[in-house]
Every structure is written in C-alpha cells, then in structure tokens.
Amino acid sequence: MASEDLANELAQVEEIALAAIASANTSQEVEDVRLNVLGQKGRLTAVLKSLGQLDAADRPRIGQIVNDIKKRIQGRLDERKEAVYLTALDAKLQSERIDVTLPGIAPRLGHIHPLTQITTEIIDVFYGMGFSVAEGPEVETDYYNFDALNTPANHPARDEQDTFYTNLGPNVLLRSQTSTVQIRVMENNKPPLRIISPGRVYRNEEVNARKYPLFHQLEGLLIDRDVTFGDLKGTLTEFIRLLFGKPLKTRFRPDFFPFTEPSAELDSECPFCNGAGCKTCGHRGWLELLGCGMVDPNVLKGVGIDAEEWSGFAFGMGIERLAMLKYDINDIRNFYTNDLRFLEQF
Ligand code: DAH
C-alpha cells in the first residue's frame, strides 16, 4: 500500500474516532469506542499491523503518525471518560439530594375521644368504690327494656315515638336505657351486687344541640342488705366530688322512675360558679346530673331476689350530658361529627 493512502486512511480513522468519542455519553460508550479503535481488533491496530507491508523507508514516518494518533485518541478517551463520569455523578447527587435542614415530619398522634375519656374517669371512680363493669346487648326485647323494669304497658316511654322498634319481632327494640343491664345482672348473679354499665342507647329524637338519636348512658346498681337512701346519697355525692375534683353540694329532688321507689333527680352545685349562677348552669347555681332511687321491690321480685332480705339503689346518667357540663361543650353533635378542630381540644 502506498504510504500516502495509508496516511489518508489514518487521518480518516482519527477523525471518525474523535467524533465517536465526542458523542459517547456513558462510560460504556467510551469503552466501546476504545475497543473499536485501539483494541486487539480495532481499526488503528489493524493499520499498525499492516505497517510491515510498507517500504522500509516509509515505516518510521508512518509509524510516528500512528503513534501520535494513538496518543491523541487515548488522551481524548481519558478526558471523555472523566467528563462522562463527572456528569453522571452530578446527576446522581442532584437526584439523590437530601435537604438535611428541612424540619422532620412529626407522626400525628391520636388520642382518646372525649366521651371515652369521661367514661373511663367515671368507671375509675366507681372501681374505687368496689363496683365492676357489666355489659348488655344494644338490641333488646321490651321485656328487659320495660316490663322487667316495672314499666307498665301504657307508660309514655314505651311509645314508639321514643323507642326504635326493629323488624326482628314485635318485642325487639334498640334499648332506650342502660337500665336493662340491671335486670340481666340480677338474673345471672346473686346479691350482694355492685355494677356499673356504660353503653349506647337509642331514642327516636329529633336532632338538636342537646339531643341525638344515639347517645350513651352509664347505669349503676347496688344490691345488699340494709341499703338506705343515705347510702345512695353518700355514694353519689362522693362520685360528684371525684368527677369534678372538688367537694360540691348536692340535692335530691323527688322524681319518678318506674323501677325505683322513691326516685330522685340529683343536682349538684354548679362547679363553675360554685352556686352563684353562670352560663353553664343557666344562672340556676345547680346542675341536673342524673336520675336515681331505691330499687323498687317489684323489680327485685321479678328477678327472684327476696325483697325482704335485699334492698338497693340504682342510678343512671347521660354520659354526653356529663361531658358537656364538665368540658363546657354546647352542642351534642360535636361528639359525632369527628371534626378534629373539636376533638383535638381534649
Ligand atoms: N333509665 C333512666 C333514663 O333513661 C335513668 C335512670 C333513672 C336510671 C333512675 C336509674 C335510676 O337506674 O334509678 O332516664
């Protein structure tokens, strides 16, 4: 081969090689170019091998050219390899960048619903007095909701306006009071008894700020020998002291409940104004807290407890009502709408 042709071919190889290097964008592409040009089977290597066919006089000159080209290509390959590496590194650093100065994401901690909080507080108070918790079904028969509680068929509480009946049978309803649990406990346990029973109750009421068709009550029942109205007064006055965290005057106003005789409505001195009168107590100085009374002997007879030997008292309170008083909440619907702005205050 003529030395001029070879020189031209070399120039072409260099030109193509440099262009290929310039457009290689990854270290693999750079390596591919190196193998194609300088590798065992590379184009420049092939030219080198053909040097033997040249005139001896031309060999040094062409050899020199080949070596120069090889050096230049090698130099460009090294540069390109470095540049491609730095670009890749930069991209990686950018994409994996973490701003360590950003504030952390605090996990949101939930907490106990205010109704559950006050229920737990009430239970704690009665635990301290030796009561235990009993539960009963929310779907009940009218026997437990009314008959066994000495509630005659014509009592207004039996009116369908108040009570949700079900289509599970003519006598099956959603309990309208937790007093049902008194009967279930007395049927299955022998006195002496001390139980409280918190739970849901249902009444067909129109919703407003004070009423909701589902709410919660807490029932209490104590059966023992020689229980007096004085025991009832002492127990509930102590309960109020512990619930509100200070001694408060109480008064028992005569009332009527079918299953207690006598029956009373318990008022406490308003803990917010100490009886002076304020917004919470409607300027009366007293808060109406719960219903109570001495268990009617008819109720005891109905469950086979000897009313000559045993007597007792019962009480029932609305949990929402107590929570509204204690936490100064003015609308019962707040308990059920799950608005965090409300719930987070407790
Ligand atoms: N069950 C009654 C109600 O829903 C509340 C009540 C009053 C319960 C007097 C009692 C009681 O145990 O003795 O209005």
Side-chain angles (χ1 to χ4, degrees), residues 303-325:
V303 291
I305 292 179
D306 182 353
E308 296 296 323
E309 186 182 358
W310 303 99
S311 54
F313 61 77
F315 51 91
M317 58 191 87
I319 293 177
E320 279 80 352
R321 177 167 169 74
L322 286 183
M324 287 169 79
L325 289 174

PDB file of all heavy atoms in Angstrom, residues 303-325:
ATOM      1  N   VAL A 303     -86.989 -10.651  89.358  1.00  0.00           N
ATOM      2  CA  VAL A 303     -85.779 -11.424  89.048  1.00  0.00           C
ATOM      3  C   VAL A 303     -85.493 -12.450  90.150  1.00  0.00           C
ATOM      4  O   VAL A 303     -84.397 -13.027  90.197  1.00  0.00           O
ATOM      5  CB  VAL A 303     -84.543 -10.506  88.860  1.00  0.00           C
ATOM      6  CG1 VAL A 303     -84.686  -9.691  87.591  1.00  0.00           C
ATOM      7  CG2 VAL A 303     -84.345  -9.604  90.071  1.00  0.00           C
ATOM      8  N   GLY A 304     -86.481 -12.664  91.029  1.00  0.00           N
ATOM      9  CA  GLY A 304     -86.335 -13.723  92.031  1.00  0.00           C
ATOM     10  C   GLY A 304     -85.409 -13.372  93.175  1.00  0.00           C
ATOM     11  O   GLY A 304     -84.801 -14.253  93.778  1.00  0.00           O
ATOM     12  N   ILE A 305     -85.289 -12.081  93.502  1.00  0.00           N
ATOM     13  CA  ILE A 305     -84.487 -11.701  94.670  1.00  0.00           C
ATOM     14  C   ILE A 305     -85.462 -11.350  95.804  1.00  0.00           C
ATOM     15  O   ILE A 305     -86.429 -10.613  95.595  1.00  0.00           O
ATOM     16  CB  ILE A 305     -83.560 -10.503  94.345  1.00  0.00           C
ATOM     17  CG1 ILE A 305     -82.473 -10.951  93.347  1.00  0.00           C
ATOM     18  CG2 ILE A 305     -82.921  -9.941  95.620  1.00  0.00           C
ATOM     19  CD1 ILE A 305     -81.511  -9.849  92.937  1.00  0.00           C
ATOM     20  N   ASP A 306     -85.207 -11.895  96.959  1.00  0.00           N
ATOM     21  CA  ASP A 306     -86.091 -11.689  98.113  1.00  0.00           C
ATOM     22  C   ASP A 306     -85.996 -10.235  98.586  1.00  0.00           C
ATOM     23  O   ASP A 306     -84.971  -9.810  99.136  1.00  0.00           O
ATOM     24  CB  ASP A 306     -85.672 -12.647  99.232  1.00  0.00           C
ATOM     25  CG  ASP A 306     -86.581 -12.523 100.456  1.00  0.00           C
ATOM     26  OD1 ASP A 306     -87.447 -11.600 100.475  1.00  0.00           O
ATOM     27  OD2 ASP A 306     -86.414 -13.326 101.383  1.00  0.00           O
ATOM     28  N   ALA A 307     -87.082  -9.485  98.378  1.00  0.00           N
ATOM     29  CA  ALA A 307     -87.067  -8.057  98.692  1.00  0.00           C
ATOM     30  C   ALA A 307     -87.125  -7.793 100.192  1.00  0.00           C
ATOM     31  O   ALA A 307     -86.950  -6.661 100.641  1.00  0.00           O
ATOM     32  CB  ALA A 307     -88.229  -7.357  97.981  1.00  0.00           C
ATOM     33  N   GLU A 308     -87.391  -8.837 100.970  1.00  0.00           N
ATOM     34  CA  GLU A 308     -87.334  -8.665 102.422  1.00  0.00           C
ATOM     35  C   GLU A 308     -85.893  -8.693 102.899  1.00  0.00           C
ATOM     36  O   GLU A 308     -85.498  -7.950 103.806  1.00  0.00           O
ATOM     37  CB  GLU A 308     -88.099  -9.808 103.125  1.00  0.00           C
ATOM     38  CG  GLU A 308     -89.584  -9.835 102.840  1.00  0.00           C
ATOM     39  CD  GLU A 308     -90.289  -8.577 103.381  1.00  0.00           C
ATOM     40  OE1 GLU A 308     -89.901  -8.095 104.475  1.00  0.00           O
ATOM     41  OE2 GLU A 308     -91.202  -8.070 102.699  1.00  0.00           O
ATOM     42  N   GLU A 309     -85.089  -9.533 102.240  1.00  0.00           N
ATOM     43  CA  GLU A 309     -83.699  -9.681 102.665  1.00  0.00           C
ATOM     44  C   GLU A 309     -82.784  -8.636 102.010  1.00  0.00           C
ATOM     45  O   GLU A 309     -81.856  -8.125 102.624  1.00  0.00           O
ATOM     46  CB  GLU A 309     -83.192 -11.099 102.309  1.00  0.00           C
ATOM     47  CG  GLU A 309     -81.796 -11.365 102.851  1.00  0.00           C
ATOM     48  CD  GLU A 309     -81.277 -12.751 102.451  1.00  0.00           C
ATOM     49  OE1 GLU A 309     -82.011 -13.514 101.788  1.00  0.00           O
ATOM     50  OE2 GLU A 309     -80.113 -13.048 102.799  1.00  0.00           O
ATOM     51  N   TRP A 310     -83.078  -8.318 100.764  1.00  0.00           N
ATOM     52  CA  TRP A 310     -82.173  -7.447  99.996  1.00  0.00           C
ATOM     53  C   TRP A 310     -82.847  -6.139  99.616  1.00  0.00           C
ATOM     54  O   TRP A 310     -84.036  -6.096  99.358  1.00  0.00           O
ATOM     55  CB  TRP A 310     -81.716  -8.151  98.715  1.00  0.00           C
ATOM     56  CG  TRP A 310     -81.043  -9.466  98.961  1.00  0.00           C
ATOM     57  CD1 TRP A 310     -81.614 -10.710  98.858  1.00  0.00           C
ATOM     58  CD2 TRP A 310     -79.693  -9.675  99.375  1.00  0.00           C
ATOM     59  NE1 TRP A 310     -80.702 -11.683  99.176  1.00  0.00           N
ATOM     60  CE2 TRP A 310     -79.511 -11.077  99.494  1.00  0.00           C
ATOM     61  CE3 TRP A 310     -78.617  -8.829  99.664  1.00  0.00           C
ATOM     62  CZ2 TRP A 310     -78.298 -11.646  99.886  1.00  0.00           C
ATOM     63  CZ3 TRP A 310     -77.420  -9.394 100.041  1.00  0.00           C
ATOM     64  CH2 TRP A 310     -77.255 -10.788 100.153  1.00  0.00           C
ATOM     65  N   SER A 311     -82.026  -5.107  99.568  1.00  0.00           N
ATOM     66  CA  SER A 311     -82.520  -3.831  99.035  1.00  0.00           C
ATOM     67  C   SER A 311     -81.355  -3.191  98.284  1.00  0.00           C
ATOM     68  O   SER A 311     -80.231  -3.702  98.304  1.00  0.00           O
ATOM     69  CB  SER A 311     -83.009  -2.914 100.161  1.00  0.00           C
ATOM     70  OG  SER A 311     -81.981  -2.762 101.139  1.00  0.00           O
ATOM     71  N   GLY A 312     -81.633  -2.076  97.634  1.00  0.00           N
ATOM     72  CA  GLY A 312     -80.525  -1.488  96.884  1.00  0.00           C
ATOM     73  C   GLY A 312     -80.901  -0.170  96.259  1.00  0.00           C
ATOM     74  O   GLY A 312     -82.038   0.307  96.387  1.00  0.00           O
ATOM     75  N   PHE A 313     -79.937   0.418  95.612  1.00  0.00           N
ATOM     76  CA  PHE A 313     -80.223   1.652  94.868  1.00  0.00           C
ATOM     77  C   PHE A 313     -79.683   1.528  93.460  1.00  0.00           C
ATOM     78  O   PHE A 313     -78.846   0.661  93.160  1.00  0.00           O
ATOM     79  CB  PHE A 313     -79.677   2.894  95.584  1.00  0.00           C
ATOM     80  CG  PHE A 313     -78.181   2.941  95.792  1.00  0.00           C
ATOM     81  CD1 PHE A 313     -77.319   3.263  94.743  1.00  0.00           C
ATOM     82  CD2 PHE A 313     -77.628   2.712  97.055  1.00  0.00           C
ATOM     83  CE1 PHE A 313     -75.944   3.341  94.953  1.00  0.00           C
ATOM     84  CE2 PHE A 313     -76.258   2.785  97.273  1.00  0.00           C
ATOM     85  CZ  PHE A 313     -75.404   3.100  96.210  1.00  0.00           C
ATOM     86  N   ALA A 314     -80.207   2.388  92.604  1.00  0.00           N
ATOM     87  CA  ALA A 314     -79.788   2.405  91.199  1.00  0.00           C
ATOM     88  C   ALA A 314     -79.652   3.854  90.769  1.00  0.00           C
ATOM     89  O   ALA A 314     -80.220   4.764  91.392  1.00  0.00           O
ATOM     90  CB  ALA A 314     -80.802   1.677  90.337  1.00  0.00           C
ATOM     91  N   PHE A 315     -78.884   4.055  89.747  1.00  0.00           N
ATOM     92  CA  PHE A 315     -78.763   5.407  89.176  1.00  0.00           C
ATOM     93  C   PHE A 315     -78.427   5.292  87.706  1.00  0.00           C
ATOM     94  O   PHE A 315     -77.915   4.261  87.251  1.00  0.00           O
ATOM     95  CB  PHE A 315     -77.700   6.240  89.912  1.00  0.00           C
ATOM     96  CG  PHE A 315     -76.361   5.543  90.058  1.00  0.00           C
ATOM     97  CD1 PHE A 315     -75.373   5.694  89.092  1.00  0.00           C
ATOM     98  CD2 PHE A 315     -76.093   4.745  91.163  1.00  0.00           C
ATOM     99  CE1 PHE A 315     -74.143   5.060  89.235  1.00  0.00           C
ATOM    100  CE2 PHE A 315     -74.867   4.096  91.303  1.00  0.00           C
ATOM    101  CZ  PHE A 315     -73.884   4.252  90.343  1.00  0.00           C
ATOM    102  N   GLY A 316     -78.760   6.342  86.971  1.00  0.00           N
ATOM    103  CA  GLY A 316     -78.451   6.341  85.544  1.00  0.00           C
ATOM    104  C   GLY A 316     -78.113   7.743  85.100  1.00  0.00           C
ATOM    105  O   GLY A 316     -78.804   8.697  85.458  1.00  0.00           O
ATOM    106  N   MET A 317     -77.022   7.857  84.352  1.00  0.00           N
ATOM    107  CA  MET A 317     -76.607   9.194  83.919  1.00  0.00           C
ATOM    108  C   MET A 317     -76.329   9.214  82.425  1.00  0.00           C
ATOM    109  O   MET A 317     -75.978   8.192  81.832  1.00  0.00           O
ATOM    110  CB  MET A 317     -75.353   9.640  84.692  1.00  0.00           C
ATOM    111  CG  MET A 317     -74.175   8.705  84.533  1.00  0.00           C
ATOM    112  SD  MET A 317     -72.844   9.088  85.711  1.00  0.00           S
ATOM    113  CE  MET A 317     -73.318   8.155  87.149  1.00  0.00           C
ATOM    114  N   GLY A 318     -76.522  10.368  81.837  1.00  0.00           N
ATOM    115  CA  GLY A 318     -76.202  10.548  80.421  1.00  0.00           C
ATOM    116  C   GLY A 318     -74.743  10.972  80.310  1.00  0.00           C
ATOM    117  O   GLY A 318     -74.335  11.986  80.872  1.00  0.00           O
ATOM    118  N   ILE A 319     -73.965  10.169  79.576  1.00  0.00           N
ATOM    119  CA  ILE A 319     -72.531  10.451  79.504  1.00  0.00           C
ATOM    120  C   ILE A 319     -72.253  11.735  78.707  1.00  0.00           C
ATOM    121  O   ILE A 319     -71.425  12.563  79.099  1.00  0.00           O
ATOM    122  CB  ILE A 319     -71.795   9.228  78.912  1.00  0.00           C
ATOM    123  CG1 ILE A 319     -71.898   8.067  79.919  1.00  0.00           C
ATOM    124  CG2 ILE A 319     -70.337   9.555  78.618  1.00  0.00           C
ATOM    125  CD1 ILE A 319     -71.280   6.787  79.455  1.00  0.00           C
ATOM    126  N   GLU A 320     -72.986  11.916  77.599  1.00  0.00           N
ATOM    127  CA  GLU A 320     -72.797  13.151  76.829  1.00  0.00           C
ATOM    128  C   GLU A 320     -73.080  14.375  77.699  1.00  0.00           C
ATOM    129  O   GLU A 320     -72.348  15.354  77.665  1.00  0.00           O
ATOM    130  CB  GLU A 320     -73.739  13.179  75.613  1.00  0.00           C
ATOM    131  CG  GLU A 320     -73.254  12.396  74.414  1.00  0.00           C
ATOM    132  CD  GLU A 320     -73.518  10.901  74.543  1.00  0.00           C
ATOM    133  OE1 GLU A 320     -73.951  10.440  75.633  1.00  0.00           O
ATOM    134  OE2 GLU A 320     -73.273  10.190  73.552  1.00  0.00           O
ATOM    135  N   ARG A 321     -74.162  14.259  78.462  1.00  0.00           N
ATOM    136  CA  ARG A 321     -74.552  15.403  79.293  1.00  0.00           C
ATOM    137  C   ARG A 321     -73.437  15.744  80.281  1.00  0.00           C
ATOM    138  O   ARG A 321     -73.064  16.906  80.449  1.00  0.00           O
ATOM    139  CB  ARG A 321     -75.844  15.065  80.039  1.00  0.00           C
ATOM    140  CG  ARG A 321     -76.265  16.165  80.964  1.00  0.00           C
ATOM    141  CD  ARG A 321     -77.663  16.034  81.498  1.00  0.00           C
ATOM    142  NE  ARG A 321     -77.825  17.013  82.570  1.00  0.00           N
ATOM    143  CZ  ARG A 321     -77.946  18.314  82.355  1.00  0.00           C
ATOM    144  NH1 ARG A 321     -77.966  18.779  81.123  1.00  0.00           N
ATOM    145  NH2 ARG A 321     -78.050  19.151  83.364  1.00  0.00           N
ATOM    146  N   LEU A 322     -72.889  14.725  80.933  1.00  0.00           N
ATOM    147  CA  LEU A 322     -71.816  14.984  81.896  1.00  0.00           C
ATOM    148  C   LEU A 322     -70.582  15.561  81.205  1.00  0.00           C
ATOM    149  O   LEU A 322     -69.942  16.481  81.721  1.00  0.00           O
ATOM    150  CB  LEU A 322     -71.436  13.705  82.648  1.00  0.00           C
ATOM    151  CG  LEU A 322     -72.446  13.245  83.697  1.00  0.00           C
ATOM    152  CD1 LEU A 322     -71.947  12.018  84.423  1.00  0.00           C
ATOM    153  CD2 LEU A 322     -72.733  14.367  84.698  1.00  0.00           C
ATOM    154  N   ALA A 323     -70.261  15.021  80.019  1.00  0.00           N
ATOM    155  CA  ALA A 323     -69.097  15.535  79.290  1.00  0.00           C
ATOM    156  C   ALA A 323     -69.332  16.984  78.878  1.00  0.00           C
ATOM    157  O   ALA A 323     -68.433  17.828  78.954  1.00  0.00           O
ATOM    158  CB  ALA A 323     -68.818  14.669  78.059  1.00  0.00           C
ATOM    159  N   MET A 324     -70.550  17.301  78.459  1.00  0.00           N
ATOM    160  CA  MET A 324     -70.859  18.671  78.044  1.00  0.00           C
ATOM    161  C   MET A 324     -70.716  19.632  79.222  1.00  0.00           C
ATOM    162  O   MET A 324     -70.199  20.742  79.080  1.00  0.00           O
ATOM    163  CB  MET A 324     -72.272  18.754  77.454  1.00  0.00           C
ATOM    164  CG  MET A 324     -72.360  18.119  76.074  1.00  0.00           C
ATOM    165  SD  MET A 324     -74.041  17.908  75.483  1.00  0.00           S
ATOM    166  CE  MET A 324     -74.424  19.580  74.917  1.00  0.00           C
ATOM    167  N   LEU A 325     -71.154  19.174  80.396  1.00  0.00           N
ATOM    168  CA  LEU A 325     -71.022  20.027  81.582  1.00  0.00           C
ATOM    169  C   LEU A 325     -69.556  20.157  81.979  1.00  0.00           C
ATOM    170  O   LEU A 325     -69.052  21.268  82.180  1.00  0.00           O
ATOM    171  CB  LEU A 325     -71.808  19.416  82.748  1.00  0.00           C
ATOM    172  CG  LEU A 325     -73.329  19.494  82.622  1.00  0.00           C
ATOM    173  CD1 LEU A 325     -73.991  18.738  83.756  1.00  0.00           C
ATOM    174  CD2 LEU A 325     -73.774  20.961  82.611  1.00  0.00           C
TER     175      LEU A 325
END
